[in-house]
Amino acid sequence: MTDTVDDVLETVAAVAPDVRDGLPGRRLTEAGVENPSGETVTAADVHADELFFEALGAIDGVVEYASEEREAVADVGDGEDGVAIAIDPLDGSSNLASNNAMGTIVGVADDSLPAAGEDLVAAAYVLYGPITTMTVAQEGTVTTYVLDGGETRAVEEDVELPDDPVVYGFGGRVPDWPDAFHDYAREIETELKLRYGGAMVGDVNQVLSYGGVFAYPALESAPNGKLRLQFEGAPIAKIIEAAGGASSDGEQSLLSVEPTELHQRVPVHVGNEEYIDRLEAALAD
Ligand code: AHG
């Protein structure tokens, strides 16, 4: 299986530059459809999904492919055993219009989808920033690579959240936050600097780089928040926990949340353990 997982990660690294190269021509172009979560799909989302589907679905040992942009899990194996891939091909694609950061998020599971975070054998995100980087959690450690000119170069091994947290970023409108989260946020604002860019990968990478906490919490209008467990919450939690941090849906690690459907949403909180412990205590009051 390790060979297949390595093949998957190498393929993501190989395809990501093509996804990036496809962005300029698709700026401001909507695909004219909604994804299974009811959000407008851009042409860039569709293009990224097609590129990853073709490349990852062709790998021997990959048996399922599910994407935030597709209703159902696609069977791509020949009935053999293998790994399943859950991907958000272009996370934060609404940032394309304003030319801000975006990402790709990938989870590799050794179980059928939807799979719990605990069943992920690897997870990775690509950040399309000034530099294209890929951060991978595999076998309990986190490595960051630079993807440049067709090469994948490790630039940081054993990545860990810094002990001295600096930044926070919370999604959702403040009046829509439940009171307990509102009170927690007021405290955090006095301790950390705001960094919020509207793409989870960019915001989480700030937390991984500087320490702190990212959240897209439960909202009054949306008790499960905005982000998807399978495509966003679980793989990002796998990376942050492997880097020595913590994750929570408000009560438990995101890796422990049992999936009930492919596109289910979940409140997401990730970061240094101290901030996640305080979050859970605040929500329990
Ligand atoms: P999408 O992939 O559909 O563009 O959604 C992006 C997600 C996530 O990346 C980000 O944290 C969040 O939506 C931002 O939402 P707001 O615009 O509500 O801040």
Side-chain angles (χ1 to χ4, degrees):
M1 185 175 67
T2 308
D3 285 350
T4 306
V5 176
D6 287 344
D7 285 350
V8 168
L9 296 169
E10 282 166 21
T11 301
V12 171
V15 172
D18 295 337
V19 170
R20 183 178 187 119
D21 288 349
L23 297 175
R26 291 174 176 81
R27 199 166 164 254
L28 305 182
T29 316
E30 292 184 358
V33 288
E34 289 188 344
N35 69 16
S37 302
E39 294 155 347
T40 302
V41 174
T42 68
D45 288 309
V46 174
H47 184 241
D49 180 54
E50 283 169 357
L51 291 179
F52 283 119
F53 176 73
E54 276 167 32
L56 295 171
I59 296 173
D60 279 345
V62 171
V63 296
E64 291 184 355
Y65 174 97
S67 145
E68 193 182 288
E69 310 307 339
R70 291 171 188 248
E71 188 74 46
V73 178
D75 288 322
V76 292
D78 298 322
E80 81 269 35
D81 286 341
V83 300
I85 293 173
I87 188 164
D88 182 352
L90 197 56
D91 175 66
S93 56
S94 54
N95 272 2
L96 189 51
S98 58
N99 189 23
N100 277 286
M102 286 171 289
T104 292
I105 307 173
V106 189
V108 186
D110 63 359
D111 201 357
S112 281
L113 302 174
E118 279 161 355
D119 294 321
L120 295 180
V121 290
Y125 64 74
V126 177
L127 173 57
Y128 307 102
I131 302 166
T132 306
T133 54
M134 181 163 102
T135 297
V136 176
Q138 193 180 11
E139 290 167 7
T141 65
V142 177
T143 307
T144 294
Y145 302 86
V146 166
L147 311 183
D148 184 26
E151 277 183 31
T152 302
R153 200 170 66 249
V155 288
E156 194 179 348
E157 291 178 354
D158 298 321
V159 178
E160 294 210 350
L161 271 82
D163 287 334
D164 242 342
V166 175
V167 299
Y168 77 97
F170 297 157
R173 290 182 174 80
V174 176
D176 207 7
W177 289 345
D179 289 345
F181 185 81
H182 196 276
D183 293 347
Y184 169 76
R186 290 285 92 91
E187 267 186 40
I188 303 304
E189 282 166 3
T190 67
E191 301 168 25
L192 303 176
K193 287 196 290 191
L194 173 62
R195 287 287 183 275
Y196 189 77
M200 185 192 199
V201 167
D203 293 329
V204 165
N205 203 57
Q206 296 251 17
V207 169
L208 193 55
S209 303
Y210 300 117
V213 56
F214 167 84
Y216 208 111
L219 303 176
E220 294 290 354
S221 63
N224 293 321
K226 175 180 181 186
L227 303 178
R228 270 79 16 160
L229 175 64
Q230 190 73 85
F231 304 108
E232 293 159 321
I236 292 293
K238 168 113 185 147
I239 295 166
I240 291 292
E241 292 201 16
S247 75
S248 178
D249 69 348
E251 293 179 356
Q252 60 182 331
S253 162
L254 286 164
L255 301 181
S256 306
V257 178
E258 270 307 313
T260 52
E261 53 179 296
L262 190 61
H263 293 277
Q264 88 194 60
R265 297 175 194 264
V266 69
V268 168
H269 317 82
V270 293
N272 287 70
E273 200 168 346
E274 174 208 336
Y275 284 94
I276 301 304
D277 287 348
R278 282 169 59 188
L279 175 275
E280 288 186 346
L283 297 191
D285 279 348

